[in-house]
Amino acid sequence: MSPIRTSKPTGDQAGSREPRFTLPGDDRLIAESVATVIAALEADIIAGRILPRNRLIEDHLMEDYGAKRHVVRAALEELERLGVVVKPRYRGAELRRFDQVEIDRLYDMREVLHRAAVARISVPSADALKPILHWLEAHASASREGDLVAIHRTNMMFHDAFFALCDNPFLVSSIRQHDWLSFPIRAYGVANADALAQACVEHRALVTLLTEGRMEELETLTIAHMARARRIYEEKFLARTASHPK
């Protein structure tokens, strides 16, 4: 597993290498050992081996991932910074669980950000389209291979490249931060075969609408594209709560 960069290469590095998968934050490298544990946690969350409100006990993670305590702790701290992991008082670290009000508010914010980005996008040049097409195919390849972490990461890189066309790095950064915050929800769209197949089809449709300048339809699909994973999460964790109130 390559180190996770929190910023994209610049200068000569940018010209000779494709962008790496990044975490939002300061300009720094995350140690390879920490990146490996983050990827392992990603995979276990996507596969449903770690569920919302499951406690993330350092001793257990050390054994599961063959990692030292300080490495596991650093990985959990990164995921806490992103909002994926929370530490309720007296409970320790656990995977974040959202209630319906939180989901409504989170997706309302994501919709605001996505609409704002699309409103600032125009039909791209062939050169500007290249990163989007690269990550479109990388995501499709990862989907065929069934590599859960690669599916998640190439999906995020596709959307990074797509929204970068708005030419507002602060807006793009906000979109990515909210993508990570919603990861405990979005993860269920990665592991679900039907949702993943739909995502691949919609990615190609987004590119078609973009290149044809059909911006109203592009905005509509950009919002609808978020719905499938949200619905899976709500049905899995909230429908049961609603039918069995405390």
Side-chain angles (χ1 to χ4, degrees), residues 18-226:
E18 67 183 34
R20 290 187 178 188
F21 182 80
T22 63
L23 293 179
D26 300 328
D27 185 10
R28 71 193 190 283
L29 275 172
I30 296 175
E32 184 171 357
S33 57
V34 177
T36 299
V37 172
I38 291 173
L41 286 163
E42 270 182 80
D44 282 346
I45 292 167
I46 293 168
R49 291 187 288 267
I50 297 176
L51 299 174
R53 288 193 181 153
N54 274 179
R55 291 188 63 197
L56 301 171
I57 300 171
E58 289 181 3
D59 287 343
H60 295 174
L61 298 178
M62 290 166 59
E63 181 178 353
D64 289 346
Y65 303 146
K68 295 181 179 179
R69 186 177 302 279
H70 74 277
V71 172
V72 168
R73 187 167 295 168
L76 292 176
E77 287 173 353
E78 285 294 331
L79 293 177
E80 183 183 12
R81 181 175 66 84
L82 297 172
V84 175
V85 168
V86 294
K87 291 183 178 178
R89 193 175 183 184
Y90 305 126
R91 284 184 56 85
E94 61 184 42
L95 180 62
R96 186 173 197 142
R97 175 163 180 159
F98 294 91
D99 62 29
Q100 189 64 63
V101 172
E102 291 171 329
I103 292 174
D104 291 344
R105 289 173 176 172
L106 174 57
Y107 274 77
D108 180 57
M109 187 62 193
R110 294 186 73 204
E111 182 174 328
V112 167
L113 292 169
H114 287 201
R115 290 187 189 279
V118 173
R120 290 161 173 78
I121 291 174
S122 56
V123 177
S125 67
D127 282 345
L129 192 61
K130 286 180 181 178
I132 298 172
L133 296 177
H134 169 80
W135 292 112
L136 173 73
E137 296 304 333
H139 178 261
S141 177
S143 299
R144 289 191 296 271
E145 294 171 4
D147 184 332
L148 296 181
V149 173
I151 292 168
H152 174 231
R153 295 186 174 195
T154 54
N155 177 70
M156 292 193 76
M157 293 300 285
F158 170 79
H159 289 286
D160 270 6
F162 181 89
F163 288 120
L165 294 175
C166 78
D167 199 28
N168 185 328
F170 299 104
L171 181 51
V172 175
S173 176
S174 294
I175 289 172
R176 170 164 268 231
Q177 288 169 356
H178 283 79
D179 283 350
W180 266 110
L181 183 58
S182 62
F183 171 58
I185 300 171
R186 294 188 303 101
Y188 290 91
V190 176
N192 181 284
D194 290 340
L196 180 59
Q198 180 182 346
C200 290
V201 170
E202 289 178 354
H203 283 174
R204 295 193 181 278
L206 287 168
V207 173
T208 297
L209 294 173
L210 173 65
T211 56
E212 294 179 357
R214 294 154 61 185
M215 296 308 181
E216 289 187 7
E217 294 173 76
L218 180 65
E219 179 181 320
T220 298
L221 182 55
T222 300
I223 302 307
H225 187 60
M226 297 187 284

